[in-house]
Amino acid sequence: MTGSTASTSSIKLYLVKVSRNELTDEESRRLFEIITLITNLEHIGDIIDKNLRELAEKKIRKRFTFSPEGLAEIRDFHQRVASALSLALNVFATRDIVLARQLFADKAAMREAERHAADSHFQRLRSGRPELIETSAIHLDIIRDLKRIHGHIVSIAYPILESANELRESRLRETKAAAEQREMPSVLIPAPHSGG
């Protein structure tokens, strides 16, 4: 058992003990939010440890180099994930519904960004440059794993949105404020940037 797995197991065990006490509805909701946070952070750690680390080791071992464009895409995705994590932790701490909705909406933007990155990657592959062919699988796997991490990050907001009755079975309920916000440019999440 790794250190992080032992830590999350200890935290979960403690939370199970807490849940045996008589809790108010509000305390029960918060307990569920904490368990959701811990579980998603654990899944994120597993993706990093079992997938991304192995991809990095393979890239280093084989001395592969990403194209400048491919590296910029990976950096862009990493920045998006880091921004989403910051927002998710803010949502968890404040329980702000507007921010939770923004985080939820970012999931669709991330899906579109993944599609765009894959299309761009395949366009570059058509050029036949050897470094692109060598790193193609690693590049696509990193993008996929960053998107999976992003999905776990967004999941942190679900119990908060559910407790505010903001979710339908498959998506957010549309409110007048949400529709207006959708029409306005986002000012809460900084736009991802490429480069180092």
Side-chain angles (χ1 to χ4, degrees), residues 103-155:
L103 181 62
F104 187 92
D106 192 45
K107 190 171 184 178
M110 183 60 118
R111 245 189 332 267
E112 182 56 36
E114 180 192 32
R115 257 183 257 143
H116 177 72
D119 289 347
S120 296
H121 178 72
F122 289 123
Q123 288 288 347
R124 289 192 304 274
L125 271 178
R126 288 188 189 108
S127 73
R129 292 174 15 212
E131 75 273 14
L132 295 174
I133 295 166
E134 290 173 341
T135 62
S136 180
I138 294 173
H139 179 271
L140 293 174
D141 286 348
I142 289 170
I143 297 292
R144 178 208 62 215
D145 288 338
L146 288 172
K147 182 178 169 265
R148 286 177 56 211
I149 289 170
H150 187 271
H152 286 293
I153 291 168
V154 171
S155 295

Side-chain angles (χ1 to χ4, degrees), residues 39-107:
T39 301
N40 280 295
L41 291 176
E42 183 177 20
H43 289 313
I44 290 167
D46 289 344
I47 293 168
I48 292 168
D49 184 50
K50 295 181 174 110
N51 297 64
L52 290 173
R53 182 182 50 80
E54 288 178 13
L55 292 170
E57 288 171 354
K58 180 179 179 181
K59 181 184 173 295
I60 291 166
R61 187 175 57 255
K62 294 192 174 197
R63 299 176 191 252
F64 288 158
T65 304
F66 290 120
S67 70
E69 303 91 347
L71 185 57
E73 279 176 357
I74 291 169
R75 285 182 174 153
D76 175 58
F77 263 74
H78 180 266
Q79 181 58 46
R80 285 174 175 268
V81 169
S83 294
L85 180 58
S86 177
L87 180 59
L89 294 175
N90 192 1
V91 166
F92 174 76
T94 65
R95 301 172 94 191
D96 184 299
I97 300 303
V98 173
L99 294 179
R101 281 178 146 288
Q102 182 179 345
L103 181 62
F104 187 92
D106 192 45
K107 190 171 184 178

Side-chain angles (χ1 to χ4, degrees), residues 141-196:
D141 286 348
I142 289 170
I143 297 292
R144 178 208 62 215
D145 288 338
L146 288 172
K147 182 178 169 265
R148 286 177 56 211
I149 289 170
H150 187 271
H152 286 293
I153 291 168
V154 171
S155 295
I156 293 168
Y158 288 0
I160 293 160
L161 290 166
E162 285 172 358
S163 69
N165 200 27
E166 291 285 319
L167 290 177
R168 290 191 288 187
E169 267 188 53
S170 63
R171 61 184 171 198
L172 283 170
R173 292 184 191 275
E174 185 73 9
T175 65
K176 183 178 178 188
E180 290 170 358
Q181 183 180 7
R182 192 171 27 85
E183 299 299 320
M184 294 173 33
S186 177
V187 294
L188 297 174
I189 294 181
H193 65 281
S194 298

